[in-house]
Amino acid sequence: MEIFGIPTQALFGQLLIGLINGSFYALLSLGLAVIFGLLNIINFTHGAQYMMGAFCAYLLLHWLGLGYWWSLAIAPLLVGATGVLIERTMLSRLYKLDHLYGLLLTFGLALIIQGLFRNEFGSSGLPYAMPQELRGGQNLGFMFLPNYRAWVIVASLVVCLSTWYVIERTKLGSYLRAATENPALVQAFGINVPRMITLTYGFGVALAGLAGVMAAPIYQVSPQMGADLIIVVFAVVVIGGMGSIMGSIVTGFALGLVEGLTKVFYPEASNIVIFVIMAIVLLIRPAGLFGTQK
């Protein structure tokens, strides 16, 4: 069976790949949106922290014998803890300065982290086995759906929507948003704003670590895996609207699907289609699709 002259299995296979890529785009851009939207920090270290999540899973397996499920719980906490350390020791000193200083600091940290991992583990990828419970797949008739890929899509969607709900619909989220607009007033109510800022940055970084653990069985664990992805993720954030939580989620999944379809109908443009869309969106709506013009 064919659709527009394309075999059905090939078409749905590319859509599945697009959804998987979109899952990681959404998770990573969500972390960036949380950090920028609430703290006004452009976190260029995000790609390196995504890579650290994958390496944490790899090292927990080979050093402590902890499998995927333990890594899924522990690695984001460890990566988030490094984020807390970075925020307390470095970023907190730059809040009163121009945003460019934070961008340059996080960009430099990304290069340092990637260089350290590359010197220690080399540039070639390291394999990481998927959990036994999620091996195999389901034959849907029109395509074969691997269990692990389905798990990644569902888990990413659950994490993204849960994060959106907490930030936009709960009292904690209202405190976070208020702290970014008027920290002195929020502190007057007895809330420790610096601690809230630190934990928010750590949470955004932990999302990157979580994405890294989930990516490890699909892609090889490599020091370059974050560098290859972060530019696309920044494009996703810009298209969705800087700081827009729902914009990052919707745009991440949507652009993954667009990229997958482009690989079917016009493969030569698959590597640039997201950037073409970004250019068009910036020309028509500079604040992004879900952003608000200030």
Side-chain angles (χ1 to χ4, degrees):
M1 183 177 176
E2 295 185 353
I3 299 178
F4 302 115
I6 305 294
T8 305
Q9 194 163 2
L11 178 61
F12 283 103
Q14 285 299 329
L15 285 175
L16 174 63
I17 293 173
L19 265 180
I20 293 168
N21 290 338
S23 298
F24 294 118
Y25 295 163
L27 262 182
L28 287 169
S29 62
L30 175 65
L32 282 176
V34 167
I35 291 171
F36 181 82
L38 300 178
L39 308 182
N40 287 321
I41 298 171
I42 301 174
N43 185 34
F44 245 104
T45 320
H46 215 63
Q49 289 157 340
Y50 162 76
M51 175 268 293
M52 288 171 64
F55 266 101
C56 274
Y58 178 83
L59 295 175
L60 286 171
L61 177 63
H62 287 81
W63 287 359
L64 301 178
L66 299 179
Y68 175 83
W69 299 110
W70 277 108
S71 296
L72 199 64
I74 296 174
L77 296 177
L78 294 177
V79 177
T82 66
V84 168
L85 182 64
I86 289 171
E87 195 280 334
R88 280 290 81 203
T89 58
M90 302 180 196
L91 287 174
S92 61
R93 304 172 185 269
L94 304 179
Y95 289 144
K96 296 182 180 179
L97 302 178
D98 190 276
H99 295 327
L100 180 62
Y101 290 95
L103 187 151
L104 292 173
L105 172 63
T106 56
F107 181 69
L109 285 173
L111 296 178
I112 292 170
I113 293 169
Q114 289 168 9
L116 290 173
F117 276 86
R118 186 167 56 248
N119 289 337
E120 182 66 27
F121 298 99
S123 298
S124 60
L126 302 170
Y128 184 86
M130 67 179 60
Q132 184 66 40
E133 301 88 341
L134 295 177
R135 292 183 180 178
Q138 308 297 322
N139 189 350
L140 304 180
F142 55 89
M143 67 173 290
F144 183 79
L145 177 63
N147 291 334
Y148 187 78
R149 266 71 170 176
W151 149 254
V152 166
I153 295 168
V154 173
S156 298
L157 195 56
V158 169
V159 170
C160 288
L161 292 179
S162 299
T163 302
W164 170 82
Y165 181 81
V166 169
I167 292 176
E168 298 292 339
R169 293 290 186 268
T170 66
K171 186 179 291 187
L172 173 61
S174 64
Y175 288 155
L176 289 173
R177 297 194 306 276
T180 62
E181 296 179 8
N182 196 332
L185 179 61
V186 174
Q187 199 146 6
F189 284 95
I191 297 172
N192 191 326
V193 173
R195 181 183 299 170
M196 184 181 291
I197 290 173
T198 300
L199 292 178
T200 300
Y201 182 81
F203 175 72
V205 170
L207 286 175
L210 177 66
V213 177
M214 294 171 66
I218 298 177
Y219 312 114
Q220 287 191 316
V221 180
S222 164
Q224 296 299 119
M225 62 188 294
D228 297 339
L229 193 60
I230 191 62
I231 302 301
V232 176
V233 172
F234 266 106
V236 171
V237 173
V238 171
I239 294 168
M242 293 292 287
S244 172
I245 305 298
M246 184 54 71
S248 295
I249 298 170
V250 173
T251 307
F253 280 101
L255 290 180
L257 287 173
V258 169
E259 190 179 53
L261 286 173
T262 306
K263 288 180 180 178
V264 175
F265 294 104
Y266 191 26
E268 295 83 356
S270 61
N271 291 328
I272 63 168
V273 63
I274 290 178
F275 302 104
V276 172
I277 294 173
M278 180 181 72
I280 295 172
V281 168
L282 287 176
L283 286 172
I284 298 173
R285 186 175 171 82
L289 297 176
F290 293 81
T292 54
Q293 193 75 45
K294 295 183 180 181

